[in-house]
Amino acid sequence: MSQDALVGRNAVFAQTMLRIKDPEKSKDFYENKLGMKLLTRLDFPSLTFSLYFFAYTQDNPPNMDESQSERAKWLWSLRYPTLELTHNWGTEKNPTFRYHNGNDDPKGFGYIGFNVNDVQQAVEALKKYNVPVICTRESKSAQVAYVADPDGYWIQLMSRKPSSCSLSIEQTLVGKDPLLSHTMYRIKDPIKSRRFYETGLGMQLIARLDYPEENISHYYYGYTDGTIPSSFRSDKERMEFLRGTRFPTVVLEHRWGTESDDSIRYHNGNVEPRGFGHIGLIVDDIYRACESLEKAGYKLVRKPGPFQDVGEIAFVADPDGYWVELIKRSSTMY
């Protein structure tokens, strides 16, 4: 349950959006390599783009024969995270077209993270299908690997705490019951970001992990189930807790000292070179949420209102300019 916030109560961290070049290649990667399920596709012919939604779930998605508005209503009632892939029609036919992964300059977005039972086994399985492996390492006693999707976006694979496996998802190439766990991007000022994500969005700071050898800290924010310990004795204990959670988190990476450097500005992915788009929240009242956020000094990128035939949405910018989509909930869930 989310705490009282400018966006209201009971917000859901619903999606992370990335732009893709070729939906068939992306579909093969996320379905056949990572074991996700394609929930539905939303098409917008007048705007020449489509949205593909993937998730780990046993739910039976609505049939594509149902109206787009009905399928969108179903999406906006979900309580688990989805991966939203945006395809602008025609990009797959351009051999020189490329999206920006956020880890080359200009930097901003980092990666989306998945928890798996055995990182090394998952990496070896992916290598057999020629999935590029960026690196493997140990981080705070957890095995971590990075691979690339067809557009070059980084995918982090992190070893899960064994007891957190729900055994609800069938065996996949990367193991049993993988979990879409977190989305990482870089921030300049952790104090400003904390005010936005806690007071604005109602997320809770779950943990901070410091990496002195790299001069960075990772701040984990999310909507929790109330099971967070009041304190941790060590970073290892913090990591153990994070590896055992099943709610999705936003990971904000702060490189020490950037808050006092006026020359530092991170790239939000929505101006050239484009790539990462936004994270998305489902909320009860986007109009009241936007009014409250605007009064608090946050910039509305898109004012609340209907979008095509898929419901009502808005966009707000966080302190670093990253976009957060607000989507009107289509049913009462709590």
Side-chain angles (χ1 to χ4, degrees):
M1 299 284 284
S2 60
Q3 54 191 281
D4 288 325
L6 298 179
V7 298
R9 292 182 60 83
N10 301 323
V12 172
F13 180 10
Q15 58 185 234
T16 296
M17 188 278 264
L18 303 174
R19 297 176 176 89
I20 60 167
K21 176 178 178 176
D22 188 327
E24 291 306 312
K25 289 181 179 179
S26 295
K27 184 173 182 289
D28 174 69
F29 178 80
Y30 287 100
E31 277 194 324
N32 299 326
K33 307 304 186 296
L34 295 189
M36 303 186 87
K37 180 186 289 188
L38 176 61
L39 302 181
T40 195
R41 185 191 75 231
L42 305 179
D43 298 321
F44 305 96
S46 64
L47 301 174
T48 64
F49 77 88
S50 296
L51 304 177
Y52 296 76
F53 291 85
F54 294 83
Y56 292 115
T57 179
Q58 289 185 310
D59 287 352
N60 293 317
N63 193 291
M64 285 294 292
D65 291 337
E66 294 187 34
S67 70
Q68 182 155 289
S69 61
E70 287 301 313
R71 286 182 282 119
K73 284 181 182 177
W74 178 79
L75 279 173
W76 313 149
S77 70
L78 300 180
R79 299 180 63 169
Y80 47 81
T82 66
L83 179 62
E84 175 189 0
L85 302 182
T86 297
H87 173 233
N88 291 294
W89 298 356
T91 53
E92 71 279 13
K93 299 175 183 177
N94 184 346
T96 64
F97 189 87
R98 181 173 178 265
Y99 281 117
H100 180 65
N101 71 7
N103 292 299
D104 302 320
D105 289 330
K107 289 181 170 61
F109 170 74
Y111 50 80
I112 52 175
F114 294 77
N115 287 358
V116 298
N117 290 330
D118 188 323
V119 170
Q120 191 57 42
Q121 187 179 61
V123 168
E124 292 304 317
L126 292 171
K127 284 168 67 175
K128 291 179 181 178
Y129 289 87
N130 299 314
V131 173
V133 178
I134 299 164
C135 68
T136 61
R137 61 186 178 88
E138 187 169 296
S139 175
K140 305 289 186 186
S141 302
Q143 282 296 120
V144 173
Y146 296 86
V147 301
D149 86 344
D151 287 278
Y153 295 114
W154 288 18
I155 307 298
Q156 184 193 66
L157 303 175
M158 178 179 285
S159 59
R160 160 209 340 272
K161 189 176 180 180
S163 62
S164 70
C165 183
S166 73
L167 305 180
S168 60
I169 305 298
E170 295 180 359
Q171 184 72 25
T172 73
L173 191 65
V174 294
K176 191 171 182 64
D177 192 32
L179 181 72
L180 177 56
S181 173
H182 50 275
T183 299
M184 188 281 267
Y185 39 89
R186 300 167 176 91
I187 61 163
K188 179 173 179 175
D189 188 330
I191 295 176
K192 290 181 179 178
S193 293
R194 180 169 187 170
R195 189 179 305 121
F196 176 79
Y197 285 91
E198 284 193 335
T199 306
L201 303 188
M203 291 184 172
Q204 185 171 351
L205 176 60
I206 298 161
R208 189 191 79 200
L209 293 176
D210 297 325
Y211 300 87
E213 67 280 7
E214 300 177 60
N215 293 326
I216 62 172
S217 295
H218 282 176
Y219 296 80
Y220 288 76
Y221 289 90
Y223 299 115
T224 76
D225 54 11
T227 59
I228 299 177
S230 58
S231 64
F232 297 97
R233 291 172 293 181
S234 65
D235 278 357
K236 181 179 179 180
E237 197 173 84
R238 289 185 182 89
M239 179 58 80
E240 282 293 300
F241 174 78
L242 290 168
R243 290 170 59 207
T245 61
R246 295 195 64 86
F247 50 80
T249 58
V250 179
V251 183
L252 305 182
E253 180 179 286
H254 171 236
R255 183 163 295 280
W256 302 349
T258 53
E259 66 275 20
S260 58
D261 187 340
D262 292 339
S263 69
I264 297 293
R265 186 181 179 192
Y266 288 114
H267 184 68
N268 72 7
N270 291 302
V271 295
E272 295 297 340
R274 297 177 190 270
F276 169 69
H278 59 262
I279 63 168
L281 310 182
I282 293 174
V283 301
D284 289 327
D285 189 335
I286 62 170
Y287 297 93
R288 181 176 294 179
C290 287
E291 181 182 4
S292 298
L293 287 164
E294 198 168 30
K295 283 183 178 178
Y298 297 111
K299 178 184 176 182
L300 296 185
V301 179
R302 182 194 191 274
K303 292 188 175 182
F307 177 71
Q308 298 282 305
D309 57 349
V310 297
E312 297 174 282
I313 65 169
F315 283 89
V316 62
D318 85 346
D320 286 276
Y322 296 111
W323 291 9
V324 177
E325 183 179 17
L326 303 178
I327 306 160
K328 179 178 171 55
R329 196 187 321 275
S330 59
S331 65
T332 300
M333 296 161 41
Y334 296 87

